[in-house]
Amino acid sequence: MAERYLIALGSNQRHVRYGKPEAVLRAALARLDRKGVKLEAVSRIIASRPLGPSLRCYANAAVIVKSRLEPNELLHRLHNIEYKFGRRRRGAPWRARVLDLDIILWTGGPWSSGHITVPHVSFRTRRFVLQPACAIAGDWRDPVTGLHLRHLLARLTRPAPVPIALLREGP
């Protein structure tokens, strides 16, 4: 049976063939939409600030794909695409990269093996994942919290409440 996957895409380095990060994401989508994986929906590309030591801004997007592949098989395919775009998995995490492809959710529920955990362990705290994901899958539920993606984004982006003690203090 074919499952649907939500995949996050990111890039913050130019590629010698494809050019700037936005074009890298478009080229990666074309590579992803091949035998055994069918694109169903693609978000628009957004810009975001980097996490960690990288100084370059990212281009981010999300895509829904349909596939009969198990999560570890799809992850292997995503890693192959990253490798073909020049990604090497060594050194410090969160450094600049030509391409990053992550499985965020799938319709099969929670999944864990030696190389992958679905849902992605950090997606709930990452606006650059939730914002494009909500554009194409806002009604998808996180199987761990039971919340829709749009609710997770709202929680992440709502203004912090003002402590009551500060409201009571006068001039």
Side-chain angles (χ1 to χ4, degrees):
M1 182 171 110
E3 301 284 355
R4 294 171 68 216
Y5 290 86
L6 176 65
I7 299 171
L9 299 87
S11 174
N12 74 339
Q13 280 188 331
R14 291 182 63 82
H15 186 276
V16 69
R17 180 175 178 190
Y18 302 111
K20 56 187 180 175
E22 295 84 0
V24 170
L25 295 187
R26 288 185 196 90
L29 288 169
R31 285 271 177 103
L32 186 58
D33 193 23
R34 300 261 170 106
K35 184 178 178 184
V37 178
K38 177 71 177 146
L39 293 182
E40 287 195 340
V42 180
S43 75
R44 69 179 181 86
I45 297 171
I46 64 165
S48 66
R49 294 177 190 252
L51 291 177
S54 182
L55 299 176
R56 296 178 175 148
C57 285
Y58 272 83
N60 293 102
V63 61
I64 296 173
V65 300
K66 192 170 190 176
S67 179
R68 293 184 184 275
L69 298 174
E70 293 288 327
N72 55 347
E73 296 170 314
L74 181 59
L75 181 66
H76 180 72
R77 182 170 295 182
L78 298 179
H79 284 179
N80 266 344
I81 293 169
E82 290 176 345
Y83 186 83
K84 288 176 182 175
F85 277 71
R87 169 98 186 258
R88 303 297 179 261
R89 294 183 173 276
R90 59 180 180 256
W94 296 344
R95 67 174 195 257
R97 58 194 66 171
V98 173
L99 184 60
D100 188 26
L101 301 170
D102 290 320
I103 299 172
I104 304 303
L105 294 169
W106 76 314
T107 53
W111 170 282
S112 188
S113 71
H115 303 298
I116 183 174
T117 298
V118 181
H120 189 282
V121 294
S122 302
F123 88 97
R124 294 170 201 88
T125 62
R126 296 182 174 170
R127 183 178 185 163
F128 61 86
V129 171
L130 287 171
Q131 187 175 344
C134 281
I136 59 172
D139 288 334
W140 276 35
R141 286 190 186 268
D142 172 6
V144 174
T145 66
L147 296 172
H148 290 108
L149 295 184
R150 68 176 181 277
H151 293 137
L152 291 171
L153 179 61
R155 285 182 167 194
L156 189 63
T157 58
R158 72 179 171 213
V162 177
I164 293 174
L166 291 177
L167 293 175
R168 290 184 184 154
E169 292 178 13

